[in-house]
Amino acid sequence: GGGSSARAAAAPATASAPSAAVDDLMLLDMGDSPPAPPAPAAPIHILGPLPCSTAQVGQQWGSLPSERRVQMNTSLISPQDMMNRLQTRLNVQPVEIIGTEGICAGRVLPGNDPCFLHGKLAPGRLDILVRCRDPMVAERVAALCQSALA
């Protein structure tokens, strides 16, 4: 008789919103297979791509007062992987790869304040420097890097 329990479980989904919310709570209580969390790429981006050259990044880097360093373990194996992940998950512009290092440039949305990222990859390890004007933005971007690049 597995069929009748499947019909009973499906019925609340067609009911009003409050019972659907109860359904969601019931799902969260199940220890064996919790629902998958939403993908981290879904939120509204705080950065947009900022096309610029390595020289432009170098000129502006020192004028940006807020810096955050993130040191982490990573599954990334190449600087190209790191740049692709930063581009797709943080919505920044790859600028240049030099050896095991990569530079990306973003602008803080909805404005145009620059936010630069410098990543240095070692086997299983990644150091990221985030540089921008606003310390709160630097914190948020550093946290995004940790979730996107692990």
Side-chain angles (χ1 to χ4, degrees), residues 102-143:
I103 302 166
C104 288
R107 59 189 184 88
V108 181
L109 298 176
N112 286 305
D113 277 357
C115 178
F116 299 131
L117 292 96
H118 176 271
K120 185 172 187 178
L121 198 58
R125 294 286 303 157
L126 178 62
D127 280 1
I128 292 273
L129 280 178
V130 178
R131 199 79 183 250
C132 62
R133 284 196 178 90
D134 183 337
M136 295 302 294
V137 171
E139 283 293 333
R140 288 178 64 194
V141 172

Short mmCIF file of all heavy atoms in Angstrom, two decimals, residues 102-143:
data_model
loop_
_atom_site.label_atom_id
_atom_site.label_comp_id
_atom_site.label_asym_id
_atom_site.label_seq_id
_atom_site.Cartn_x
_atom_site.Cartn_y
_atom_site.Cartn_z
N GLY A 102 45.79 35.53 -10.43
CA GLY A 102 44.80 36.10 -11.32
C GLY A 102 44.23 37.38 -10.73
O GLY A 102 44.11 37.51 -9.51
N ILE A 103 43.90 38.32 -11.62
CA ILE A 103 43.31 39.59 -11.21
C ILE A 103 41.95 39.72 -11.88
O ILE A 103 41.82 39.48 -13.08
CB ILE A 103 44.20 40.78 -11.65
CG1 ILE A 103 45.60 40.66 -11.06
CG2 ILE A 103 43.56 42.11 -11.26
CD1 ILE A 103 46.60 41.61 -11.71
N CYS A 104 40.95 40.11 -11.08
CA CYS A 104 39.61 40.39 -11.60
C CYS A 104 39.20 41.78 -11.15
O CYS A 104 39.64 42.25 -10.10
CB CYS A 104 38.59 39.38 -11.10
SG CYS A 104 38.74 37.75 -11.83
N ALA A 105 38.32 42.41 -11.94
CA ALA A 105 37.84 43.74 -11.60
C ALA A 105 36.33 43.76 -11.65
O ALA A 105 35.72 43.23 -12.58
CB ALA A 105 38.42 44.78 -12.58
N GLY A 106 35.74 44.38 -10.62
CA GLY A 106 34.30 44.54 -10.58
C GLY A 106 33.97 45.97 -10.20
O GLY A 106 34.83 46.72 -9.75
N ARG A 107 32.71 46.32 -10.41
CA ARG A 107 32.24 47.61 -9.93
C ARG A 107 31.10 47.34 -8.97
O ARG A 107 30.30 46.41 -9.18
CB ARG A 107 31.82 48.53 -11.07
CG ARG A 107 30.73 47.98 -11.94
CD ARG A 107 30.52 48.84 -13.18
NE ARG A 107 29.39 48.32 -13.94
CZ ARG A 107 28.12 48.65 -13.74
NH1 ARG A 107 27.81 49.52 -12.79
NH2 ARG A 107 27.16 48.12 -14.46
N VAL A 108 31.03 48.12 -7.89
CA VAL A 108 30.03 47.91 -6.86
C VAL A 108 28.70 48.46 -7.38
O VAL A 108 28.58 49.66 -7.65
CB VAL A 108 30.45 48.60 -5.54
CG1 VAL A 108 29.40 48.36 -4.47
CG2 VAL A 108 31.81 48.10 -5.09
N LEU A 109 27.73 47.56 -7.54
CA LEU A 109 26.42 47.97 -8.06
C LEU A 109 25.61 48.64 -6.97
O LEU A 109 25.75 48.28 -5.80
CB LEU A 109 25.68 46.74 -8.60
CG LEU A 109 26.39 46.04 -9.77
CD1 LEU A 109 25.63 44.78 -10.17
CD2 LEU A 109 26.54 46.97 -10.97
N PRO A 110 24.75 49.62 -7.27
CA PRO A 110 24.40 50.07 -8.62
C PRO A 110 25.34 51.14 -9.16
O PRO A 110 25.08 51.69 -10.22
CB PRO A 110 23.00 50.64 -8.42
CG PRO A 110 23.01 51.17 -7.02
CD PRO A 110 23.93 50.25 -6.24
N GLY A 111 26.44 51.44 -8.48
CA GLY A 111 27.34 52.51 -8.91
C GLY A 111 28.51 52.01 -9.73
O GLY A 111 28.42 50.98 -10.40
N ASN A 112 29.62 52.73 -9.64
CA ASN A 112 30.80 52.38 -10.42
C ASN A 112 32.07 52.30 -9.58
O ASN A 112 33.17 52.29 -10.12
CB ASN A 112 31.01 53.39 -11.55
CG ASN A 112 30.01 53.19 -12.67
OD1 ASN A 112 29.89 52.11 -13.21
ND2 ASN A 112 29.27 54.23 -12.99
N ASP A 113 31.94 52.27 -8.24
CA ASP A 113 33.14 52.16 -7.41
C ASP A 113 33.86 50.85 -7.74
O ASP A 113 33.23 49.79 -7.77
CB ASP A 113 32.78 52.15 -5.91
CG ASP A 113 32.58 53.55 -5.36
OD1 ASP A 113 32.78 54.52 -6.11
OD2 ASP A 113 32.23 53.66 -4.17
N PRO A 114 35.18 50.90 -7.95
CA PRO A 114 35.89 49.67 -8.30
C PRO A 114 36.05 48.73 -7.10
O PRO A 114 36.13 49.16 -5.96
CB PRO A 114 37.27 50.17 -8.78
CG PRO A 114 37.44 51.52 -8.17
CD PRO A 114 36.05 52.09 -7.96
N CYS A 115 36.06 47.45 -7.41
CA CYS A 115 36.37 46.41 -6.43
C CYS A 115 37.27 45.42 -7.14
O CYS A 115 36.86 44.80 -8.13
CB CYS A 115 35.09 45.73 -5.94
SG CYS A 115 35.41 44.39 -4.76
N PHE A 116 38.51 45.29 -6.68
CA PHE A 116 39.48 44.43 -7.34
C PHE A 116 39.72 43.18 -6.51
O PHE A 116 39.71 43.21 -5.29
CB PHE A 116 40.81 45.17 -7.55
CG PHE A 116 40.68 46.40 -8.42
CD1 PHE A 116 41.21 47.60 -8.02
CD2 PHE A 116 40.00 46.35 -9.63
CE1 PHE A 116 41.11 48.74 -8.81
CE2 PHE A 116 39.88 47.48 -10.43
CZ PHE A 116 40.44 48.68 -10.02
N LEU A 117 39.93 42.07 -7.21
CA LEU A 117 40.24 40.81 -6.56
C LEU A 117 41.55 40.28 -7.12
O LEU A 117 41.76 40.29 -8.34
CB LEU A 117 39.14 39.78 -6.82
CG LEU A 117 37.80 40.09 -6.17
CD1 LEU A 117 36.90 40.79 -7.16
CD2 LEU A 117 37.15 38.83 -5.69
N HIS A 118 42.43 39.85 -6.22
CA HIS A 118 43.69 39.25 -6.61
C HIS A 118 43.77 37.88 -5.96
O HIS A 118 43.70 37.78 -4.73
CB HIS A 118 44.87 40.13 -6.16
CG HIS A 118 46.20 39.51 -6.44
ND1 HIS A 118 46.83 38.67 -5.55
CD2 HIS A 118 47.01 39.59 -7.52
CE1 HIS A 118 47.98 38.28 -6.08
NE2 HIS A 118 48.11 38.81 -7.28
N GLY A 119 43.86 36.85 -6.77
CA GLY A 119 43.92 35.50 -6.24
C GLY A 119 45.26 34.86 -6.53
O GLY A 119 45.82 35.05 -7.62
N LYS A 120 45.78 34.13 -5.56
CA LYS A 120 47.03 33.39 -5.73
C LYS A 120 46.76 31.95 -5.35
O LYS A 120 46.39 31.66 -4.21
CB LYS A 120 48.13 34.00 -4.87
CG LYS A 120 49.48 33.34 -5.10
CD LYS A 120 50.59 34.10 -4.39
CE LYS A 120 51.93 33.51 -4.77
NZ LYS A 120 53.04 34.24 -4.14
N LEU A 121 46.98 31.06 -6.31
CA LEU A 121 46.63 29.65 -6.14
C LEU A 121 47.89 28.83 -5.86
O LEU A 121 48.91 29.00 -6.52
CB LEU A 121 45.97 29.18 -7.45
CG LEU A 121 45.16 27.91 -7.45
CD1 LEU A 121 44.00 27.99 -6.45
CD2 LEU A 121 44.60 27.67 -8.85
N ALA A 122 47.80 27.98 -4.85
CA ALA A 122 48.83 26.98 -4.57
C ALA A 122 48.08 25.65 -4.49
O ALA A 122 46.86 25.65 -4.35
CB ALA A 122 49.52 27.29 -3.24
N PRO A 123 48.76 24.50 -4.59
CA PRO A 123 48.03 23.23 -4.55
C PRO A 123 47.13 23.11 -3.32
O PRO A 123 47.62 23.12 -2.19
CB PRO A 123 49.14 22.17 -4.54
CG PRO A 123 50.31 22.86 -5.20
CD PRO A 123 50.20 24.32 -4.79
N GLY A 124 45.82 23.07 -3.55
CA GLY A 124 44.85 22.91 -2.46
C GLY A 124 44.60 24.17 -1.64
O GLY A 124 43.80 24.15 -0.72
N ARG A 125 45.29 25.27 -1.94
CA ARG A 125 45.18 26.50 -1.15
C ARG A 125 44.92 27.69 -2.07
O ARG A 125 45.38 27.72 -3.20
CB ARG A 125 46.47 26.79 -0.38
CG ARG A 125 46.81 25.79 0.70
CD ARG A 125 45.97 25.90 1.94
NE ARG A 125 46.03 27.23 2.53
CZ ARG A 125 45.08 27.71 3.32
NH1 ARG A 125 44.01 27.01 3.59
NH2 ARG A 125 45.19 28.91 3.84
N LEU A 126 44.22 28.66 -1.54
CA LEU A 126 43.95 29.87 -2.30
C LEU A 126 44.01 31.07 -1.36
O LEU A 126 43.43 31.04 -0.28
CB LEU A 126 42.56 29.78 -2.95
CG LEU A 126 42.10 30.99 -3.75
CD1 LEU A 126 43.00 31.27 -4.93
CD2 LEU A 126 40.66 30.78 -4.23
N ASP A 127 44.73 32.10 -1.78
CA ASP A 127 44.74 33.39 -1.09
C ASP A 127 44.04 34.39 -2.00
O ASP A 127 44.43 34.55 -3.15
CB ASP A 127 46.18 33.89 -0.87
CG ASP A 127 46.85 33.23 0.33
OD1 ASP A 127 46.21 32.38 0.96
OD2 ASP A 127 48.01 33.57 0.61
N ILE A 128 43.05 35.07 -1.46
CA ILE A 128 42.34 36.10 -2.22
C ILE A 128 42.47 37.42 -1.47
O ILE A 128 42.26 37.46 -0.25
CB ILE A 128 40.83 35.76 -2.35
CG1 ILE A 128 40.62 34.53 -3.23
CG2 ILE A 128 40.05 36.94 -2.89
CD1 ILE A 128 40.51 34.83 -4.70
N LEU A 129 42.80 38.47 -2.19
CA LEU A 129 42.76 39.82 -1.64
C LEU A 129 41.61 40.56 -2.33
O LEU A 129 41.51 40.55 -3.55
CB LEU A 129 44.06 40.58 -1.94
CG LEU A 129 45.25 40.30 -1.04
CD1 LEU A 129 46.46 41.10 -1.49
CD2 LEU A 129 44.92 40.64 0.40
N VAL A 130 40.77 41.18 -1.53
CA VAL A 130 39.67 42.01 -2.02
C VAL A 130 40.01 43.44 -1.67
O VAL A 130 40.32 43.73 -0.51
CB VAL A 130 38.33 41.61 -1.36
CG1 VAL A 130 37.20 42.50 -1.84
CG2 VAL A 130 38.01 40.14 -1.61
N ARG A 131 39.94 44.33 -2.64
CA ARG A 131 40.28 45.73 -2.39
C ARG A 131 39.19 46.63 -2.95
O ARG A 131 38.85 46.53 -4.14
CB ARG A 131 41.63 46.03 -3.08
CG ARG A 131 42.34 47.25 -2.57
CD ARG A 131 43.06 46.94 -1.27
NE ARG A 131 43.70 48.11 -0.72
CZ ARG A 131 45.01 48.30 -0.67
NH1 ARG A 131 45.83 47.38 -1.13
NH2 ARG A 131 45.49 49.39 -0.15
N CYS A 132 38.61 47.48 -2.11
CA CYS A 132 37.57 48.41 -2.55
C CYS A 132 37.50 49.57 -1.56
O CYS A 132 38.29 49.65 -0.63
CB CYS A 132 36.23 47.72 -2.73
SG CYS A 132 35.55 46.99 -1.23
N ARG A 133 36.54 50.48 -1.78
CA ARG A 133 36.42 51.65 -0.89
C ARG A 133 35.69 51.32 0.41
O ARG A 133 36.09 51.76 1.47
CB ARG A 133 35.64 52.77 -1.62
CG ARG A 133 36.46 53.49 -2.64
CD ARG A 133 35.84 54.81 -3.07
NE ARG A 133 36.73 55.47 -4.02
CZ ARG A 133 36.66 55.28 -5.33
NH1 ARG A 133 35.76 54.48 -5.84
NH2 ARG A 133 37.51 55.89 -6.13
N ASP A 134 34.60 50.58 0.31
CA ASP A 134 33.68 50.38 1.43
C ASP A 134 34.04 49.09 2.19
O ASP A 134 34.02 48.01 1.61
CB ASP A 134 32.26 50.30 0.86
CG ASP A 134 31.19 50.16 1.93
OD1 ASP A 134 31.49 49.70 3.06
OD2 ASP A 134 30.03 50.49 1.64
N PRO A 135 34.34 49.19 3.50
CA PRO A 135 34.71 47.98 4.25
C PRO A 135 33.59 46.94 4.30
O PRO A 135 33.85 45.75 4.35
CB PRO A 135 35.05 48.50 5.65
CG PRO A 135 34.60 49.92 5.71
CD PRO A 135 34.42 50.41 4.31
N MET A 136 32.31 47.38 4.28
CA MET A 136 31.20 46.42 4.29
C MET A 136 31.15 45.63 2.98
O MET A 136 30.88 44.44 2.98
CB MET A 136 29.86 47.14 4.52
CG MET A 136 29.74 47.80 5.88
SD MET A 136 29.95 46.65 7.26
CE MET A 136 28.50 45.63 7.04
N VAL A 137 31.42 46.31 1.87
CA VAL A 137 31.46 45.64 0.57
C VAL A 137 32.62 44.65 0.56
O VAL A 137 32.46 43.51 0.11
CB VAL A 137 31.58 46.66 -0.59
CG1 VAL A 137 31.84 45.95 -1.91
CG2 VAL A 137 30.31 47.50 -0.68
N ALA A 138 33.77 45.06 1.09
CA ALA A 138 34.92 44.16 1.13
C ALA A 138 34.59 42.89 1.90
O ALA A 138 34.94 41.78 1.48
CB ALA A 138 36.13 44.87 1.75
N GLU A 139 33.88 43.04 3.04
CA GLU A 139 33.47 41.87 3.84
C GLU A 139 32.54 40.96 3.04
O GLU A 139 32.71 39.74 3.04
CB GLU A 139 32.74 42.32 5.12
CG GLU A 139 33.65 42.83 6.21
CD GLU A 139 34.54 41.74 6.79
OE1 GLU A 139 34.18 40.55 6.76
OE2 GLU A 139 35.63 42.10 7.26
N ARG A 140 31.55 41.56 2.39
CA ARG A 140 30.58 40.75 1.63
C ARG A 140 31.24 40.02 0.48
O ARG A 140 30.95 38.85 0.22
CB ARG A 140 29.43 41.63 1.13
CG ARG A 140 28.50 42.07 2.25
CD ARG A 140 27.39 42.98 1.78
NE ARG A 140 26.49 42.32 0.84
CZ ARG A 140 25.61 42.95 0.08
NH1 ARG A 140 25.50 44.26 0.15
NH2 ARG A 140 24.82 42.28 -0.73
N VAL A 141 32.13 40.72 -0.24
CA VAL A 141 32.81 40.09 -1.38
C VAL A 141 33.75 38.99 -0.89
O VAL A 141 33.82 37.91 -1.49
CB VAL A 141 33.56 41.15 -2.21
CG1 VAL A 141 34.43 40.50 -3.28
CG2 VAL A 141 32.56 42.12 -2.86
N ALA A 142 34.43 39.21 0.24
CA ALA A 142 35.30 38.17 0.80
C ALA A 142 34.48 36.92 1.16
O ALA A 142 34.90 35.80 0.89
CB ALA A 142 36.03 38.71 2.03
N ALA A 143 33.29 37.13 1.74
CA ALA A 143 32.43 35.99 2.09
C ALA A 143 31.94 35.27 0.82
O ALA A 143 31.90 34.04 0.79
CB ALA A 143 31.23 36.48 2.90
#
